[in-house]
Amino acid sequence: MPSYQLAQTMDRSEWLKRYPRLTQHQVKMVAQSLKEALGENVVIDDRDQLLAYSYDATGERHWPDMAVLPRTTDEVSRALSLAHRYRVPVVGRGASTNLSGGTTPLVGGLVVSFARMNRIVDIDTVKRLVRVEPGVVNADLAEALRKRGYFYPPDPSSHRISTIGGNIAENAGGPHCVKYGVTTHHVRALEVVLSDGRVVNLGEIGATDAGLDIASLVIGSEGTLALVTQAVLAIRPLPARTSTVLISFKALKDAVTTVSQIVANRLNPAALELMDKESIRVVESFVHAGYPLDAEAVLLVELDGTDAEVESGIHGLRAISERQGSLSFQVAESEERAQEFWRGRRAHYGATARLAPHLWVQDVTVPRPKLVEMIERVMSIAQEQRLLIVTAAHAGDGNLHPNIPYDPLDPDQIRRLRAADDAILRACVEMGGSITGEHGVGIDKAEHLPLMYSPWELEAMAEVKAAFDPDQVLNPLKALWPAGEISPAPPVSRPIPHLPASTGEVQEIMRWSASQSDPLSIRGSGRRTTGGPPTQRILSLAQLDQVHDLDLDNLSVEVGAGMVAGALSRLLERHGLDVPGIEPFMDDTVGGLVAANAPYWRHSSGHGWRDMVLAAEWVDMRGRLLRFGRKTMKNVAGYDLAKLVVGSRGRIGALTRVTLRLLPREEPLTIAQSAPMPATQALMAANRVLSRPDHPDGILLVRRPSQTNVEVWCVGRLTHRELKTKLAQDLGGTSVVFEDGRDAWLRLETDRLHRVYQAISSGMYRAGRIPVAAEDWLAVFADAVGSAVHLCPDGGWYEMMGPDARNPWPRTSDQELERLRERVARVFDPEQLLH
């Protein structure tokens, strides 16, 4: 197998000088220390055996100096402690199916393989959580969950061999992320080992009361910040029915237009995949999946849900595809036939790889409305460079994989490949996309990061890396690019009024306050702020209230942080769209809701606002204007710093803009309220509801002040009498009260939030995420005698309002975690002036 560099890569010479290779003597000394600490059978230092740890799916090869195969977190900790002592670079490794060079030991050092840490520690179907070690294979987890009637949605094409640790490192997606989201949307907690060997539990991801969400930075960081040793993941009940449809078209544009129409008509498929003519040809010759060879493109669509939802989806799909002139419309009549259809899509990489000695796999994401233009640009680039480019796409989220077969020993072909690759990446950025949606940056795309990020933004990511890994030893030279020359911010010679009307004025205020060491408190409407006189100057963002971009085809909206939530809700309502955390009557600002990670329960699954934020712009206390994320669900170019603003409460800067994911507005809406019942009975009733694949979107346990019994509230689209009957049985029979219509919902939620606002203003409010280790959820009802309590078992959060409002699960002080949070916060606010 020839050794060669990636077809498109940076000049590494200057970077490599920072990491001189270990001498033979040093290698022997470190290897011996590892054997003494971990045991002979854990350490590999034989060069022939190290070949297996020298490359990933890119084929580029770099030998490590040694490897370890730990079985426990403690062994990982001891290995990293020794590596830190000797300043040895460390690369974490799963199955190394990644396609960007992310797990190649570029500078040698130590490879930590998680192949032996492959236990599914616990499956909890009541809380709908699973705890796993990083070496668990995605497909093995899927099989274990299937036997219990559940599934874990992220399913990359490599799912039969890729591991959960690798999925987390790359923030893996897969076909089903169009409906269910990518890996980050399903991770609830992480245990990690830092570069010096310290073990840290990174807190409850998405918690409203847990400080900066630094766990979200680790997801997708390619092992450059920490090594994951355990993960708690959210799982879902298997849908009642799944149906797969294969649709063929005589023109590629017709297929892509059909994708737009599917999204516009709110069909919400579980998967929506596209392959072009060349893909069909190479796949059919390889696996004979039954794709029509006379088609210019095919769509592979999967629908799931109740029988009624799936039948309605098939009917809608057929009508849309016929309007676009489809050649054929095949509904898989059996599970075997559905698997044949999917075998073709999953074989795309392997089939294309047969066409040449090597395969270059590109990975770009554009907003959905730009999909046709991007595919046409790829085809044009292929003609210009005289290359065969075979394209498949996760069309539902705008993620393209142009695959280029090539010969790595042909210099002219390499030159044309590099030119094509560069042109594809530049085109996707011009269209508002990301240079990588799920394959990562690695050593492949680092030099293209400046296309997406300013020097300030590159600098901020490098500083976050240093906060986690001061000695820069974790997966060196991956995922980042030097910031280059940064122009100093102009000095501000006068104070600016603290009611800015533009981002530029926000920057001036922050720079002035920093120059004067003047503490700041950032406010939106003040709804989510505890009463009492402030001790520092208040920066109000209320005038930043514009709608900057409402993209109906892409289902995204970008607004100023001062946008009033109720006004945005009313605007979206006119277009049949929704952001679950806002209501027409709310006078909170959107930025305030995001910064507070304000709980909502109408769509209670997941992490709340963290799952709705696609991109964020803010000004930090150094006056830097920072923007992270794109208006695409998939984006793993650099660290996911946009997640830091969720629940940040102004501690990293002034949030100026936010881009949100939109959902189809659910009509009609039905409210179900049970009669009051003992807490144990209420929790059992809620669990019965949650165990159904067709359960309502929102479920809340409510105990009113000074009461002992608990009500169960449900909200969702309960259009069929059968569903209402099932729900009534689950909640206790004939005593359940149903109200149909959005007016009923607004009346209920207006009253609830009025009590929330009163509790916040009087300082008698607590909210947070239920810890994944919490055993007794009923304690919140039993112990808070004078408070109202809202408990959301599906979303895993609680609210407590009243004189004895408190955190029912006091968090033990984790000094390592708090120190890490403080280091990250100081990246954006060095003097800690923001409060």
Side-chain angles (χ1 to χ4, degrees), residues 263-268 555 565-585 602-603 662-669 697 716-717 741-743 745-746:
V263 173
N265 283 272
R266 321 289 190 251
L267 292 187
N268 201 21
L555 295 184
L568 177 59
S569 177
R570 294 189 292 272
L571 169 65
L572 297 177
E573 185 176 4
R574 294 199 293 271
H575 297 284
L577 297 171
D578 184 26
V579 174
I582 64 175
E583 304 295 348
F585 59 83
R602 180 156 54 85
H603 280 257
L662 302 179
L663 300 178
R665 193 172 184 83
E666 292 193 336
E667 299 287 0
L669 211 59
D697 291 319
R717 188 175 57 178
R742 194 161 290 272
D743 288 345
W745 158 255
L746 292 176

Side-chain angles (χ1 to χ4, degrees), residues 42 100 215 313 322 349 373 676 824:
V42 176
S100 60
E322 286 177 354
Y349 175 85
E373 183 180 350
V824 172

Side-chain angles (χ1 to χ4, degrees), residues 112-425:
V112 178
S113 169
F114 290 101
R116 292 176 178 171
M117 293 181 67
N118 59 358
R119 293 185 307 141
I120 299 174
V121 179
D122 180 57
I123 298 176
D124 188 335
T125 57
V126 174
K127 297 178 185 176
R128 301 207 292 183
L129 299 174
V130 58
R131 183 182 294 273
V132 299
E133 292 180 332
V136 171
V137 173
N138 188 293
D140 292 344
L141 176 61
E143 179 60 20
L145 293 173
R146 186 190 63 78
K147 293 175 180 177
R148 300 192 183 205
Y150 286 79
F151 76 110
Y152 173 64
D155 59 339
S157 295
S158 58
H159 72 288
R160 295 191 183 280
I161 51 175
S162 66
T163 61
I164 296 298
N167 291 174
I168 292 171
E170 298 289 345
N171 194 14
H176 289 91
C177 72
V178 61
K179 180 174 183 177
Y180 294 107
V182 294
T183 296
T184 191
H185 298 118
H186 300 87
V187 179
R188 278 285 303 273
L190 291 175
E191 175 191 83
V192 304
V193 179
L194 301 182
S195 60
D196 59 3
R198 287 175 295 165
V199 180
V200 183
N201 289 293
L202 293 184
E204 304 294 330
I205 296 177
T208 60
D209 60 342
L212 292 182
D213 181 11
I214 59 173
S216 292
L217 304 183
V218 172
I219 303 169
S221 67
E222 305 182 41
T224 62
L225 301 182
L227 298 188
V228 174
T229 50
Q230 273 200 12
V232 178
L233 312 172
I235 59 178
R236 291 173 175 264
L238 284 168
R241 178 180 166 189
T242 299
S243 187
T244 302
V245 182
L246 184 70
I247 315 169
S248 66
F249 297 88
K250 60 185 176 183
L252 178 63
K253 188 171 184 179
D254 293 338
V256 180
T257 303
T258 298
V259 171
S260 298
Q261 289 299 306
I262 290 170
V263 173
N265 283 272
R266 321 289 190 251
L267 292 187
N268 201 21
L272 183 51
E273 301 289 296
L274 179 146
M275 288 196 290
D276 65 7
K277 183 177 182 177
E278 286 296 333
S279 297
I280 296 169
R281 181 180 64 81
V282 299
V283 163
E284 273 302 295
S285 66
F286 186 42
V287 295
H288 311 294
Y291 293 177
L293 291 172
D294 60 338
E296 290 291 323
V298 295
L299 288 180
L300 185 62
V301 187
E302 183 175 284
L303 300 164
D304 65 9
T306 64
D307 283 340
E309 288 170 337
V310 171
E311 286 298 329
S312 175
I314 292 174
H315 177 77
L317 272 179
R318 191 184 300 274
I320 291 170
S321 61
E322 286 177 354
R323 285 199 299 270
Q324 297 303 321
S326 60
L327 293 174
S328 64
F329 186 94
Q330 301 178 61
V331 180
E333 68 279 4
S334 65
E335 175 63 22
E336 291 74 18
R337 186 63 174 135
Q339 289 304 316
E340 287 179 10
F341 287 163
W342 276 109
R343 194 176 303 120
R345 174 60 184 92
R346 295 194 185 279
H348 187 265
Y349 175 85
T352 311
R354 300 190 310 154
L355 303 179
H358 205 70
L359 182 66
W360 185 249
V361 182
Q362 194 44 272
D363 163 48
V364 296
T365 303
V366 295
R368 273 184 298 244
K370 296 289 187 179
L371 198 56
V372 172
E373 183 180 350
M374 187 65 209
I375 292 176
E376 290 177 344
R377 185 77 68 88
V378 169
M379 295 169 67
S380 175
I381 291 168
Q383 291 181 341
E384 291 170 6
Q385 298 300 331
R386 295 177 287 112
L387 292 168
L388 173 65
I389 301 183
V390 183
T391 302
H394 304 301
D397 47 51
N399 186 197
L400 280 73
H401 295 312
N403 294 353
I404 311 176
Y406 74 104
D407 182 354
L409 302 181
D410 183 338
D412 180 65
Q413 201 173 80
I414 290 293
R415 179 189 60 78
R416 288 183 280 115
L417 172 61
R418 287 178 175 174
D421 188 68
D422 181 75
I424 290 171
L425 295 179

Side-chain angles (χ1 to χ4, degrees), residues 760-778:
I760 292 173
S761 64
S762 61
M764 294 188 293
Y765 177 81
R766 294 291 183 274
R769 184 169 281 284
I770 302 168
V772 296
E775 294 298 331
D776 187 7
W777 292 10
L778 299 180

